[in-house]
Amino acid sequence: MPNNQEPIPVYLFLGFLESGKTKFIQETLEDKRFNNGERTLLLIFEEGVEEYDPSRFAKKGVVEIRSIESKEEMTIANLARLAIETKAERVVIEYNGMWTAAELFQNMPQNWAVAQVMFFADATTFPNYNANMRSLVVDKLNLCELVVFNRFDKSFDVKEFHQIVRGVSRRTEICYEYNDGQVAYDDIEDPLPFDVEAENIVIKDEDFALWYRDIMDDPGKYDGKTVTFKGLAAKNKKFPQNCFALGRHIMTCCVEDIQYCWAVAEWDEPFEPRQPKHWVNVTAKISVQKHKLYKGAGPVLRVIALADAAPPEKEVATFY
């Protein structure tokens, strides 16, 4: 039995009601490769029509099922108590699709470590969820390593689903489970709309959000390269001398989530950004390094040239 300070891996299954989470978890726990004897706490945050059948689990007596029926029950103390009570060596969570992942993470015991995140979606209802509850869809797509679209019909437009996912994440794998039982993985290529191998990588105004996400996801790709783009310069008293922020406001899904997304810029010339908005055209060489304004390493833009600029046609950048 592990003590309550040992790391406990968490397998997180996201999705809206009747999206196929229960069926997948049931099949996973029937698989000897996954359910090989580790004591497992199965936490159900959402009761659907389908129920679990423990008699079919690969290992009997090692899976304890508990339910969280309200947000008031989702506390660090309660989740930790359930793990100790069930002597859990790992946790499998079927999460409520109408709750945000942040609400779970804020109440997760410190020694719980997320090992895998999967998102399940009913292809017949997913476009409606995306149209009417976009922020909740983005919440899931931002986290998951794999999204599974089940009940997929051959008449559906794969590109529509692909674009919705890629508008949020370029790294998430996409799987389509067709009504006839066939399974296909998305292999649509998504070339970036700018040349990463160019001597000077020029970022168009409409491509800033894609570039920003790509450089933050994979900064090493840009280390030592030169980039030119239009951005908002900003600074506060906590910034070191000759250092300022350079970025743009980005909207992921709706007005409520707009935020200023920036990278550290350094310039030997004296420069004080005007308030509230100071648009500039900048050419800079990128150096990936540790910096006090990052929590660790990140891209530092060493400015080569900078000049005042007019605002772009759309001041808020988007992914679509």
Side-chain angles (χ1 to χ4, degrees):
M1 163 183 161
N3 65 51
N4 61 0
Q5 293 305 311
E6 289 181 345
I8 297 178
V10 176
Y11 298 86
L12 180 56
F13 297 90
L14 306 173
F16 300 105
L17 195 63
E18 307 306 318
S19 61
K21 302 190 298 293
T22 303
K23 180 176 181 289
F24 184 87
I25 296 172
Q26 173 74 39
E27 292 174 350
T28 300
L29 292 173
E30 290 177 17
D31 189 335
K32 293 179 181 179
R33 293 170 296 178
F34 182 82
N35 190 3
N36 57 9
E38 287 183 89
R39 295 196 62 83
T40 303
L41 169 59
L42 171 54
L43 273 178
I44 305 171
F45 285 72
E46 184 174 55
E47 296 281 358
V49 174
E50 194 163 349
E51 295 184 355
Y52 289 99
D53 182 359
S55 69
R56 293 165 49 197
F57 291 166
K59 289 285 184 178
K60 309 295 189 292
V62 298
V63 179
E64 297 282 352
I65 302 176
R66 297 290 187 274
S67 295
I68 300 293
E69 297 181 357
S70 69
K71 291 183 181 180
E72 287 70 30
E73 296 180 30
M74 187 170 57
T75 65
I76 294 174
N78 192 37
L79 298 185
R81 178 186 63 80
L82 291 173
I84 294 171
E85 179 184 289
T86 58
K87 302 177 183 178
E89 297 174 282
R90 62 184 176 186
V91 178
V92 174
I93 294 178
E94 180 179 353
Y95 196 54
N96 190 317
M98 303 307 291
W99 299 356
T100 66
E103 292 171 294
L104 172 62
F105 294 153
Q106 289 165 4
N107 292 286
M108 194 178 283
Q110 188 173 3
N111 65 321
W112 288 21
V114 176
Q116 188 175 36
V117 182
M118 297 178 67
F119 175 35
F120 292 83
D122 181 342
T124 63
T125 59
F126 179 75
N128 286 332
Y129 276 109
N130 184 62
N132 299 306
M133 299 181 184
R134 173 75 177 165
S135 60
L136 286 173
V137 170
V138 170
D139 176 69
K140 279 66 180 170
L141 290 176
N142 261 328
L143 289 171
C144 67
E145 302 157 38
L146 171 69
V147 55
V148 178
F149 291 113
N150 51 52
R151 306 180 183 110
F152 208 86
D153 191 88
K154 298 210 173 191
S155 65
F156 294 166
D157 184 0
V158 170
K159 289 184 179 178
E160 177 187 354
F161 291 80
H162 173 92
Q163 288 171 355
I164 291 172
V165 176
R166 288 291 172 259
V168 180
S169 170
R170 292 180 66 87
R171 293 194 165 199
T172 298
E173 285 194 73
I174 307 171
C175 175
Y176 306 99
E177 291 190 352
Y178 287 88
N179 290 324
D180 62 4
Q182 291 185 15
V183 175
Y185 283 86
D186 192 302
D187 59 359
I188 299 174
E189 291 189 16
D190 285 293
L192 291 165
F194 43 84
D195 184 3
V196 177
E197 300 304 323
E199 185 175 341
N200 179 20
I201 305 168
V202 178
I203 309 301
K204 296 178 182 178
D205 293 342
E206 61 268 28
D207 297 331
F208 180 86
L210 281 173
W211 172 74
Y212 183 82
R213 184 173 62 196
D214 196 56
I215 193 173
M216 290 304 176
D217 283 348
D218 188 8
K221 182 194 300 183
Y222 296 89
D223 192 26
K225 297 188 176 180
T226 301
V227 64
T228 294
F229 65 92
K230 180 181 290 185
L232 269 177
K235 187 174 184 177
N236 64 36
K237 294 179 180 179
K238 296 181 181 179
F239 279 51
Q241 191 175 7
N242 297 331
C243 182
F244 57 98
L246 199 53
R248 284 183 62 180
H249 290 91
I250 295 178
M251 180 174 70
T252 301
C253 64
C254 52
V255 173
E256 288 76 12
D257 76 358
I258 294 175
Q259 57 181 316
Y260 180 58
C261 300
W262 55 278
V264 174
E266 293 181 344
W267 196 24
D268 293 335
E269 299 289 329
F271 177 67
E272 288 295 328
R274 297 188 302 271
Q275 299 297 334
K277 292 183 178 181
H278 189 162
W279 288 97
V280 295
N281 284 321
V282 63
T283 297
K285 187 167 184 177
I286 300 167
S287 173
V288 178
Q289 63 184 69
K290 288 185 177 180
H291 196 282
K292 62 177 64 179
L293 294 179
Y294 290 129
K295 293 180 180 178
V300 175
L301 307 175
R302 300 191 180 281
V303 176
I304 298 170
L306 182 146
D308 289 351
E313 183 178 349
K314 294 182 178 179
E315 294 194 21
V316 176
T318 64
F319 294 99
Y320 48 88

